Amino acid sequence: SQWGEENLQALSIQEGEDVTMNCSYKTYTTVVHWYRQDSGRGPALIILIRSNEREKRSGRLRATLDTSSQSSSLSITAAQCEDTAVYFCATDALSSNMGYKLTFGTGTSLLVDP
Amino acid sequence: EAAVTQSPRNKVAVTGGKVTLSCNQTNNHNNMYWYRQDTGHGLRLIHYSYGAGSTEKGDIPDGYKASRPSQENFSLILELATPSQTSVYFCASGDWGFGPGTRLTVL
C-alpha cells in the first residue's frame, strides 16, 4: 500500500481551534496534494506542496512536507464550521508508463462544532 | 462553468448488465482519470488515459474497461456489472480537477 495508515480518521474540534492532520507515504513523490471533499461532491484541491518546499501557506491553511520521513501535514488555523469536510492527502507519482497518477490516502473526517 | 462533468449522476443497474459512465472535460487536458470511492478506502485509481485513443490500467482495473474516443471524453465501462462495483465514481482531468461523481448501485 502507498500509505502507512489505512483507516479513515475522524477529528472533532470547536470553532476557533487550530487543527493538524497528518499523513505518511511509502512511495517516492515530488508533490503532495491536499484535497477537501464536501458531502456529496467531488474532491477539491486546496493546497499543493512540492518536494523542494518544506512549508506552503494559503490563507488559514499550512502544509508541510518532510521528504526524509515521507510525511506531510495540513494545519488549519482558527477552524470555522465551513471547514467541516473530509481531507485527503495524495501523492503525484510517476507511473511505469511515464505518466503521472495521483494516489490517495484514506482521509481525515473533520467536524468543526460551533 | 464546470470543467469536468460526469453523466449520469446516479445509476441503478442489475447484476450482469452493462454500464457506461461518461466524463467530459473542457480544458483540453491530455490526462484523464477514473477513480472509485468506497467508505474506508479513499479514492482508488481504476483507469487513466494520456490522450485520445490511449487507456492505461490503474491500481484496480479488474472488471472495468475504459475508452478515450476524443480529447474531451473518457468513459468507464462495466461489461458485466456486479454488486461489488456499487460505489461512487469520480473522473478527473490533467490539473487534478474532479467531476461531481456518479453514484452507481448494482442490484
Side-chain angles (χ1 to χ4, degrees), chain A residues 6-8 33 35 37 40-45 88 92 95-107, chain B residues 9 31 33 35 37 39-45 48 50 56-59 90 95-101 103:
Chain A
E6 293 296 331
N7 297 322
L8 177 67
H33 305 238
Y35 282 81
Q37 185 176 26
R41 305 190 69 171
L45 180 66
F88 295 96
D92 191 347
S95 73
S96 59
N97 293 308
M98 303 306 291
Y100 284 92
K101 59 177 186 176
L102 202 61
T103 303
F104 285 81
T106 51
Chain B
R9 294 296 311 279
N31 294 354
Y33 306 82
Y35 289 84
Q37 184 175 34
T39 302
H41 286 278
L43 288 92
R44 293 181 290 175
L45 182 63
Y48 56 108
Y50 300 133
E56 303 290 340
K57 293 181 179 180
D59 299 321
F90 289 100
D95 65 352
W96 304 116
F98 280 79
R103 183 173 296 278

Side-chain angles (χ1 to χ4, degrees), chain B:
Chain B
E1 185 176 343
V4 181
T5 57
Q6 296 181 230
S7 64
R9 294 296 311 279
N10 291 281
K11 172 75 176 178
V12 179
V14 296
T15 297
K18 182 177 180 178
V19 177
T20 299
L21 307 182
S22 299
C23 177
N24 178 275
Q25 56 105 355
T26 58
N27 289 334
N28 197 36
H29 288 141
N30 290 327
N31 294 354
M32 296 185 74
Y33 306 82
W34 275 107
Y35 289 84
R36 64 177 282 176
Q37 184 175 34
D38 303 290
T39 302
H41 286 278
L43 288 92
R44 293 181 290 175
L45 182 63
I46 307 170
H47 284 288
Y48 56 108
S49 168
Y50 300 133
S54 88
T55 61
E56 303 290 340
K57 293 181 179 180
D59 299 321
I60 53 163
D62 293 345
Y64 302 93
K65 290 173 56 178
S67 173
R68 183 83 181 272
S70 66
Q71 183 78 341
E72 298 77 22
N73 295 296
F74 189 37
S75 298
L76 186 68
I77 303 156
L78 291 66
E79 294 279 5
L80 296 170
T82 68
S84 65
Q85 294 175 313
T86 292
S87 187
V88 181
Y89 292 85
F90 289 100
C91 176
S93 74
D95 65 352
W96 304 116
F98 280 79
T102 295
R103 183 173 296 278
L104 173 65
T105 302
V106 182
L107 302 176

